[in-house]
């Protein structure tokens, strides 16, 4: 059964670094005697209810005289758009090309015999608002790397088109992606009361709303909270990843342009907490892409403050 492999940016592997010198511009070694060949179709990104999705069919051929395994280097056409491949194994990220990520992904299945071909589907997602007109993006690129040589053997540029919401691909306009994220955070109340639980501790739920206004590439959004003494964040509801101290990720993964997401932040204190005002919580929202946090276009709306109180019901 084919498996689809996806990953978060920020992973780097030594073999990928060794290949950087052979990335687009110097990597296409499709000369006579090359140990492998690669062919690729056109990438058409189809409008959905949450941006665009598309699948790029790729075929690799073992042109050597021995069985071998292969990996594919993928340079995404739109920053942040690569979304895995099938059949595939692990993927590792190398240095980006003009802010577009480059991934080295192993091809799933047994070694290819001499002359054998194997087809792979590469998936892409662009979380921008669908348009009534077709668009075109920068060329992506796919390259094949035989396992025995660990050197790029052949490569192909890939034409990328966004289909209009009326189904047309004619007269495409250039797609221009935001370069700076524009996220915002609002708390559902200025104050929250934690109430005593059956085990003697205090707990409370605070609704928080995060909005993503643009389509700048990102891997995830996260919040760092500064907490009063004795207060901790127990998690979020829903929760995708663990919370650490006052840090938690916005659940639900990447956000589409204009998307708004509301979730609960869960607070708790110990049973020996004295009822009354506990202090203020300061939230700071950040957006991460590639190596770390990226400066927001409007940082003033990335902050919120909430006062916490504890009540034993008396």
């Amino acid at each position: 059964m084919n498996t689809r492999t996806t990953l978060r940016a920020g992973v780097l592997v030594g073999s990928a670094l060794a290949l950087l010198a052979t990335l687009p511009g110097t990597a296409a070694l499709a000369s006579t005697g090359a140990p492998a060949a690669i062919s690729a179709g056109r990438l058409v990104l189809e409008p959905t209810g949450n941006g665009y999705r598309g699948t790029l069919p790729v075929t690799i051929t073992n042109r050597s005289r021995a069985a071998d395994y292969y990996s594919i280097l993928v340079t995404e056409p739109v920053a942040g758009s690569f979304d895995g491949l099938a059949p595939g194994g692990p993927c590792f990220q190398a240095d980006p090309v003009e802010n577009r990520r480059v991934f080295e992904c192993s091809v799933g299945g047994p070694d290819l015999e001499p002359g054998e071909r194997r087809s792979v589907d590469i998936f892409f997602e662009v979380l921008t608002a669908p348009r009534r007109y077709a668009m075109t993006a920068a060329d992506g690129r796919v390259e094949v790397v035989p396992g025995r040589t660990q050197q790029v053997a052949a490569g192909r540029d890939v034409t990328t088109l966004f289909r209009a919401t009326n189904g047309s691909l004619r007269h495409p306009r250039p797609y221009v992606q935001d370069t700076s994220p524009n996220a915002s955070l609002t708390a559902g109340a200025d104050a929250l009361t934690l109430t005593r639980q059956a085990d003697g501790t205090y707990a409370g739920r605070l609704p928080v709303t995060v909005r993503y206004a643009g389509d700048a590439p990102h891997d995830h959004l996260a919040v760092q909270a500064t907490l009063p003494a004795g207060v901790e964040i127990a998690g979020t509801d829903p929760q995708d990843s663990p919370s650490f101290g006052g840090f938690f990720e916005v659940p639900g993964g990447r956000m589409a342009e204009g998307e708004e997401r509301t979730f609960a932040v869960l607070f708790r204190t110990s049973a020996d907490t004295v009822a009354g005002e506990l202090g203020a919580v300061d939230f700071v929202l950040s957006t991460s892409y590639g190596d770390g946090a990226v400066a927001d276009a409007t940082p003033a709306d990335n902050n919120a403050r909430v006062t916490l109180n504890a009540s034993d019901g008396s």
Side-chain angles (χ1 to χ4, degrees):
M1 180 176 67
N2 289 352
T3 57
R4 176 169 171 175
T5 303
T6 57
L7 68 156
R8 176 170 300 161
V11 181
L12 191 64
V13 69
S15 61
L17 283 171
L19 292 167
L20 293 182
T22 60
L23 287 178
T26 62
L29 305 180
S31 59
T32 302
I38 188 168
S39 61
R42 183 177 63 173
L43 175 60
V44 177
L45 296 165
E46 305 285 350
T48 71
N50 195 41
Y52 292 82
R53 292 196 64 86
T55 301
L56 175 67
V58 171
T59 300
I60 60 173
T61 304
N62 181 355
R63 297 176 61 180
S64 71
R65 297 180 179 179
D68 203 354
Y69 63 96
Y70 294 87
S71 61
I72 295 177
L73 281 174
V74 182
T75 301
E76 57 187 6
V78 176
S81 62
F82 175 77
D83 198 34
L85 78 166
C91 291
F92 302 94
Q93 186 173 341
D95 286 345
V97 174
E98 298 175 346
N99 205 41
R100 294 176 290 146
R101 300 174 300 175
V102 179
F103 293 93
E104 179 189 5
C105 301
S106 60
V107 176
D111 289 359
L112 274 72
E113 297 297 327
E116 183 180 356
R117 296 180 178 181
R118 183 165 301 161
S119 296
V120 176
D121 287 333
I122 304 177
F123 306 102
F124 297 90
E125 181 179 46
V126 181
L127 297 177
T128 190
R131 316 298 208 267
R132 291 178 295 177
Y133 50 86
M135 295 186 292
T136 184
D139 285 346
R141 188 168 175 83
V142 291
E143 298 167 302
V144 59
V145 181
R148 293 180 186 275
T149 67
Q150 288 296 298
Q151 297 292 324
V152 171
R156 292 288 184 270
D157 290 332
V158 177
T159 299
T160 302
L161 290 171
F162 294 73
R163 190 182 299 278
T165 53
N166 65 5
S168 176
L169 290 173
R170 300 180 60 188
H171 309 300
R173 307 179 191 179
Y175 169 61
V176 180
Q177 186 178 30
D178 291 340
T179 56
S180 298
N182 190 2
S184 63
L185 178 147
T186 55
D190 294 330
L192 175 69
T193 298
L194 311 185
T195 58
R196 187 179 289 275
Q197 307 298 298
D199 62 357
T201 62
Y202 293 80
R205 299 167 57 95
L206 176 71
V208 169
T209 299
V210 172
R211 187 173 189 275
Y212 203 72
D215 64 358
H218 63 288
D219 298 316
H220 65 276
L221 290 91
V223 177
Q224 179 66 56
T226 302
L227 302 166
V231 177
E232 65 178 7
I233 291 178
T236 62
D237 184 17
Q239 181 156 351
D240 294 337
S241 59
S243 303
F244 301 96
F247 175 87
F248 58 90
E249 289 189 14
V250 175
R254 297 191 305 145
M255 299 183 69
E257 181 179 8
E259 182 179 355
E260 201 169 83
R261 194 175 293 168
T262 299
F263 57 96
V265 179
L266 310 180
F267 294 94
R268 68 183 176 194
T269 67
S270 63
D272 59 5
T273 298
V274 177
E277 184 173 326
L278 302 178
V281 177
D282 289 308
F283 295 104
V284 179
L285 174 69
S286 63
T287 304
S288 293
Y289 179 64
D291 293 332
V294 183
D296 195 273
T298 56
D301 58 12
N302 290 18
N303 306 281
R305 169 171 282 195
V306 176
T307 300
L308 298 184
N309 301 283
S311 172
D312 57 12
S314 59

